[in-house]
């Protein structure tokens, strides 16, 4: 969410009515999340000036440990230097820390492609935004789940009950520090997650939703506390001893 919002912001800066705007003091402290959107807190160090040049060798974009040689345009300006400076700083300060392992395994190769392409400046802001929106579409639609074995049949649904959340085993990246609360597309994906965790014996799909509209599933290692809830369903692993007793 943070990276996508940042890319949308950089897309606007690259195509602003004032021209391409570069953030000269590009640091994480310069940004804040407001209602799920990343915003710049200080525009004092923003500039629309683009580096003048006579030849390509005048258009070197230097960063610690890495440099890029850009093209000198016919009008004597380094092509896209403001946009590329913003994008590489986004890679340095945000993408490298937030993108790895921040999506289901099937989507991680797409994020790795974005990471590598922006790290080498092979992508401009237009291509980067398009790539992020493609990942978001796959994530929200559940298309990345195709060609997976169906595992929900290995779970017994018990309607009218839920499990007391919290105080059970913990997992990463959980939405709750008290237990294992993860975003899933469906009960089928939740079954796959439960199968991948040795502690998991049951799960419920909660009424909570993430910013993408996906539900949160709570995973449990035991069924010590079942609470009546007409709107809930507990999915119990059929091979578990608790499921057999039930």
């Amino acid at each position: 969410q943070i990276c996508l919002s940042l890319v949308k912001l950089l897309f606007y800066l690259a195509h602003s009515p004032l021209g391409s705007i570069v953030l000269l003091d590009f640091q994480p402290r310069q940004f804040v999340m407001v209602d799920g959107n990343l915003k710049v807190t200080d525009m004092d160090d923003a500039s629309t000036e683009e580096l003048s040049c006579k030849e390509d060798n005048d258009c070197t974009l230097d960063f610690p440990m890495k440099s890029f040689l850009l093209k000198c345009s016919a009008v004597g300006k380094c092509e896209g230097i403001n946009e590329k400076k913003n994008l590489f700083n986004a890679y340095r300060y945000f993408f490298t820390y937030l993108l790895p392992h921040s999506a289901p395994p099937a989507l991680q190769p797409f994020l790795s492609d974005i990471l590598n392409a922006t790290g080498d400046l092979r992508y401009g802001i237009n291509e980067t935004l398009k790539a992020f929106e493609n990942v978001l579409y796959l994530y929200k639609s559940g298309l990345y789940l195709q060609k997976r074995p169906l595992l929900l049949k290995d779970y017994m649904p018990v309607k009218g009950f839920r499990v007391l959340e919290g105080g059970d085993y913990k997992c990463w990246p959980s939405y709750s520090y008290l237990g294992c609360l993860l975003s899933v597309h469906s009960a089928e994906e939740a079954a796959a997650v439960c199968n991948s965790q040795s502690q998991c014996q049951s799960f419920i799909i909660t009424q909570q939703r993430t910013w993408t509209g996906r539900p949160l599933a709570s995973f449990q290692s035991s069924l010590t506390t079942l609470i009546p809830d007409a709107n809930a369903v507990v999915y119990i692993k059929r091979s578990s001893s608790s499921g057999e007793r039930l």
Side-chain angles (χ1 to χ4, degrees):
Q1 181 183 16
I2 293 172
C3 291
L4 175 62
S5 186
L6 175 59
V7 169
K8 288 180 177 179
L9 173 61
L10 297 187
F11 179 86
Y12 173 78
L13 293 179
H15 302 285
S16 84
L18 300 176
S20 183
I21 299 175
V22 63
L23 301 177
L24 299 175
D25 185 21
F26 196 114
Q27 298 285 339
R29 65 173 179 268
Q30 298 288 90
F31 301 89
V32 64
M33 289 293 285
V34 179
D35 296 329
N37 295 305
L38 205 67
K39 296 185 181 294
V40 184
T41 60
D42 185 1
M43 292 293 289
D44 290 344
D45 294 306
S47 173
T48 58
E49 292 294 321
E50 292 192 304
L51 187 64
S52 298
C53 59
K54 294 183 178 179
E55 57 183 26
D56 291 350
N57 287 334
D58 297 329
C59 296
T60 301
L61 188 55
D62 289 316
F63 294 96
M65 307 300 290
K66 208 158 191 177
S67 295
F68 301 94
L69 185 62
L70 307 182
K71 296 287 186 182
C72 182
S73 71
V75 295
K77 297 291 183 179
C78 295
E79 284 186 3
I81 191 168
N82 288 352
E83 170 188 330
K84 292 181 185 297
K85 185 177 289 188
N86 284 341
L87 189 55
F88 191 79
N89 278 325
Y91 162 82
R92 290 172 63 199
Y93 293 112
F94 288 87
F95 298 172
T96 54
Y97 298 104
L98 299 178
L99 287 187
H101 315 299
S102 64
L107 291 178
Q108 286 175 10
F110 293 93
L111 296 183
S112 294
D113 287 345
I114 294 174
L115 196 62
N116 293 333
T118 53
D120 294 334
L121 286 184
R122 287 185 286 110
Y123 279 1
I125 191 62
N126 294 357
E127 295 87 351
T128 303
L129 178 58
K130 184 177 180 180
F132 266 104
E133 289 179 336
N134 180 56
V135 175
L136 180 63
Y137 170 72
L138 294 173
Y139 185 62
K140 292 174 69 173
S141 67
L143 289 175
Y144 67 93
L145 295 169
Q146 291 182 352
K147 299 181 181 179
R148 280 191 174 190
L150 300 178
L151 301 173
L152 191 59
K153 65 182 185 311
D154 298 329
Y155 290 79
M156 178 171 58
V158 180
K159 298 181 179 180
F161 290 92
R162 62 181 174 86
V163 179
L164 181 65
E165 295 179 39
D168 206 88
Y169 77 93
K170 299 176 182 179
C171 65
W172 187 89
S174 177
Y175 281 79
S176 170
Y177 67 90
L178 297 175
C180 187
L181 188 66
L182 300 174
S183 165
V184 296
H185 178 262
S186 61
E188 184 63 55
E189 184 178 16
V193 172
C194 190
N195 268 29
S196 71
Q197 299 174 347
S198 58
Q199 309 100 310
C200 185
Q201 296 299 323
S202 67
F203 65 87
I204 63 169
I205 306 297
T206 73
Q207 298 300 310
Q208 296 173 266
R209 293 291 186 272
T210 69
W211 67 281
T212 61
R214 287 163 54 101
L216 295 178
S218 177
F219 300 88
Q220 302 286 329
S221 63
S222 63
L223 292 171
T224 54
T225 308
L226 284 178
I227 302 172
D229 187 334
N231 299 316
V233 180
V234 181
Y235 294 88
I236 304 169
K237 192 177 290 185
R238 294 183 185 276
S239 59
S240 69
S241 57
S242 58
E244 291 169 359
R245 288 199 303 270
L246 191 63

